[in-house]
Amino acid sequence: MGEPNRVELQVTLHDADGNLVAGAFGFTIWNYLYIQWLWVAEGHRRQGLANRLIAEAENRALERGCSGAWIDTFSEAGLGAYLKAGYEVFGELPNFAAGQARIFLRKQLETTNKG
């Protein structure tokens, strides 16, 4: 399999006053991006910030030579954002925690995402 070449990846967004309002954290490994955490402050939701975070993380992953990405979620709102960003469901663990399903999504990254 070769070396995993795991490198952390972090993307943050700030408001005009410099306050942190959204962020994504994950890593690239074996030419894949994994977004482990993504959040948007409650007062800043429904403004397209999640899509901006995802797009920037994907662009950075492409710069690292990644060809795909995956993410998982328990959240219906998260699921909607990831589907909107072009991810597709490839697996689900029903009743994973407290009756919530854990949903896994993937996306092939293309060089046309860059820039």
Side-chain angles (χ1 to χ4, degrees):
M1 290 179 55
E3 289 295 318
N5 297 322
R6 179 185 163 134
V7 179
E8 289 187 357
L9 188 142
Q10 178 178 315
V11 179
T12 57
L13 296 174
H14 299 79
D15 65 14
D17 297 322
N19 299 310
L20 182 64
V21 297
F25 175 81
F27 52 87
T28 54
I29 189 168
W30 280 303
N31 298 322
Y32 260 79
L33 164 66
Y34 175 59
I35 300 173
Q36 190 169 12
W37 297 299
L38 187 143
W39 66 273
V40 176
E42 197 163 324
H44 296 273
R45 294 179 183 164
R46 301 192 194 302
Q47 298 176 24
L49 298 183
N51 276 343
R52 284 180 52 195
L53 289 169
I54 292 167
E56 180 59 24
E58 290 173 357
N59 285 336
R60 292 183 189 182
L62 282 165
E63 290 171 357
R64 296 179 185 183
C66 292
S67 60
W70 90 96
I71 193 165
D72 60 83
T73 186
F74 298 96
S75 162
E76 288 294 322
L79 177 61
Y82 306 137
L83 292 171
K84 185 176 179 180
Y87 285 73
E88 64 179 346
V89 174
F90 73 90
E92 181 177 330
L93 297 172
N95 298 314
F96 183 79
Q100 295 291 314
R102 186 171 184 181
I103 301 168
F104 297 85
L105 300 100
R106 68 177 170 212
K107 180 179 181 180
Q108 285 301 120
L109 299 180
E110 301 176 17
T111 56
T112 56
N113 287 356
K114 285 186 81 169

